[in-house]
Amino acid sequence: MKPPYDITPKILKLITSISEKLGAVNANYLNKQSPQLRKQNRIKTIYSSLQIEGNTLTEEQITALIANKRIIGPKKDVLEVLNAIKVYEKLNFFKFHSEVSFLKVHLELMNGLIENPGIYRKQSVGIVKGDKIEHIAPPFENVPYQMKDLFKYLNDVDELTLIKSCVFHYEMEFIHPFLDGNGRMGRIWQTLILMNEYPIFEFLPFETLISQTQDEYYRSLSLSDKAGKSTFFIEYMLDVINKSLENLLNYNNRILKDIDRLDYFLMLGLKEFTRKDYMNIFKELSSATASRDLKKGLELQLIESIGNLNKTKYIIK
């Protein structure tokens, strides 16, 4: 059965806004960000997602771990980050509609942190906030069947990916299939669902905004629980996605730097090209700026040239 939710005016407005921003992302060549920006955003994603779960490591410490450097920090926190790095580096190898992939990600994410990672819980659980029981999860006997139904829902081709990703995130949190790691699994899986249609989400750190609005995050989960449908959570998450895209566009709301253009052009897979070919991709570029870009590429030894003047050809090294 399709998980229940309502399509509200706010949801429609947010979907329209997100769609416009995704168009702007593609138009500005941001769907293939520079390696440096991708690395920065991956660090922010890991930092924010684990910070929500109480991890104490800083962005600088996570950067050091990604560079295979040793740091001083709580053993559990370091292991959480190392596990997350491994999972995020392999995101493209996991299938968003596969329950097998889902369990494998939990196994890798929680390996060494809990007993029996990658296996659905075998006991009843509740979520306590302060001295109040915030949420009682469904009986553990129901979890395998509920998760199978949820993965069937992911195969619904008529459902918008943006909606589907939010609904899965909420429903998974409601089912609470694992003893621990449910929050980070919900956020990773929403990313995986989104990036299947929109590659930009692989490196869009919307977890940063969730981390900054944790009270709203948990409030939207609680309101959806009480309403018996995920409408409130969908509105919250679409707003987070919309603002994250806006932040990306604002950050890049400038003429792309020469290295950004070169990074993008080199990822197109050409073996050799001319200045004219380069300008055909960046149509608003002047011939002088194109020449400066290519000179920078030569200096960085990204390309080499043969021929002279207007007969010059560039070969990607």
Side-chain angles (χ1 to χ4, degrees):
M1 192 173 73
K2 184 176 175 179
Y5 65 86
D6 298 322
I7 293 292
T8 63
K10 183 176 180 180
I11 287 174
L12 289 173
K13 186 177 179 181
L14 284 166
I15 287 175
T16 301
S17 182
I18 290 168
S19 299
E20 289 171 354
K21 288 180 176 65
L22 286 169
V25 162
N26 293 332
N28 286 283
Y29 311 105
L30 303 181
N31 53 337
K32 292 186 177 180
Q33 301 169 23
S34 71
Q36 186 59 35
L37 185 56
R38 291 203 302 267
K39 182 181 176 183
Q40 289 171 0
N41 285 345
R42 175 60 49 79
I43 291 165
K44 287 181 185 297
T45 293
I46 293 171
Y47 168 73
S48 299
S49 190
L50 292 179
Q51 186 190 47
I52 295 168
E53 306 301 328
N55 192 286
T56 61
L57 297 192
T58 64
E59 285 190 44
E60 290 74 19
Q61 288 175 306
I62 293 173
T63 303
L65 288 172
I66 286 177
N68 293 316
K69 295 178 181 176
R70 295 175 67 87
I71 67 162
I72 296 173
K75 184 178 177 181
K76 175 179 175 289
D77 290 3
V78 171
L79 184 54
E80 280 184 339
V81 170
L82 290 174
N83 287 355
I85 289 169
K86 289 176 187 175
V87 169
Y88 277 98
E89 283 178 347
K90 297 191 292 184
L91 272 187
N92 280 301
F93 295 97
F94 300 117
K95 298 175 181 176
F96 79 94
H97 52 73
S98 166
E99 193 174 3
V100 172
S101 280
F102 182 73
L103 293 171
K104 183 171 176 53
V105 169
H106 187 264
L107 171 64
E108 296 194 19
L109 200 62
M110 304 304 293
N111 189 32
L113 296 168
I114 61 171
E115 288 186 21
N116 302 317
I119 296 174
Y120 292 140
R121 60 183 167 87
K122 297 288 196 299
Q123 63 189 72
S124 297
V125 295
I127 299 171
V128 178
K129 290 284 174 68
D131 57 354
K132 293 173 60 178
I133 296 176
E134 188 73 21
H135 173 66
I136 297 177
F140 68 88
E141 299 93 339
N142 296 352
V143 169
Y145 308 106
Q146 289 176 310
M147 290 306 298
K148 275 184 173 47
D149 285 345
L150 195 51
F151 274 94
K152 283 180 186 174
Y153 164 71
L154 286 185
N155 289 310
D156 184 351
V157 294
D158 295 325
E159 187 81 309
L160 287 176
T161 298
L162 287 166
I163 294 287
K164 193 186 291 184
S165 70
C166 299
V167 170
F168 183 94
H169 188 162
Y170 167 74
E171 293 291 340
M172 198 224 80
E173 299 294 351
F174 179 85
I175 296 167
H176 217 73
F178 305 108
L179 287 177
D180 195 12
N182 295 284
R184 65 198 81 173
M185 281 298 295
R187 293 185 290 276
I188 282 181
W189 220 255
Q190 178 154 21
T191 295
L192 204 60
I193 295 166
L194 288 167
M195 61 184 264
N196 181 67
E197 184 168 346
Y198 311 107
I200 185 64
F201 283 100
E202 182 179 358
F203 299 104
L204 187 74
F206 61 77
E207 286 90 344
T208 300
L209 274 177
I210 296 177
S211 176
Q212 293 168 356
T213 57
Q214 280 188 62
D215 288 345
E216 290 178 52
Y217 176 65
Y218 291 118
R219 181 171 174 272
S220 67
L221 287 168
S222 177
L223 288 172
S224 292
D225 285 353
K226 289 169 184 170
K229 48 192 170 184
S230 57
T231 309
F232 289 105
F233 187 74
I234 294 171
E235 289 180 343
Y236 167 79
M237 276 307 308
L238 289 179
D239 189 49
V240 163
I241 290 168
N242 190 46
K243 286 175 180 172
S244 297
L245 286 167
E246 185 176 336
N247 290 342
L248 174 67
L249 289 167
N250 287 340
Y251 177 81
N252 289 275
N253 190 20
R254 51 175 169 71
I255 299 173
L256 289 174
K257 291 180 180 176
D258 48 17
I259 191 63
D260 295 326
R261 288 190 293 265
L262 285 165
D263 275 339
Y264 179 82
F265 190 83
L266 296 181
M267 283 190 281
L268 297 178
L270 302 175
K271 292 186 177 174
E272 64 175 46
F273 63 95
T274 64
R275 187 180 68 174
K276 184 178 179 182
D277 295 328
Y278 189 77
M279 292 176 68
N280 281 338
I281 296 298
F282 305 106
K283 297 185 185 300
E284 296 180 3
L285 224 56
S286 69
S287 57
T289 303
S291 294
R292 284 195 294 271
D293 282 8
L294 297 173
K295 183 181 177 184
K296 179 74 169 279
L298 291 168
E299 290 170 357
L300 294 173
Q301 297 186 346
L302 299 173
I303 55 177
E304 55 187 28
S305 64
I306 53 173
N308 293 306
L309 302 175
N310 61 350
K311 292 187 178 179
T312 302
K313 284 192 174 181
Y314 298 92
I315 299 165
I316 297 175
K317 298 180 76 170

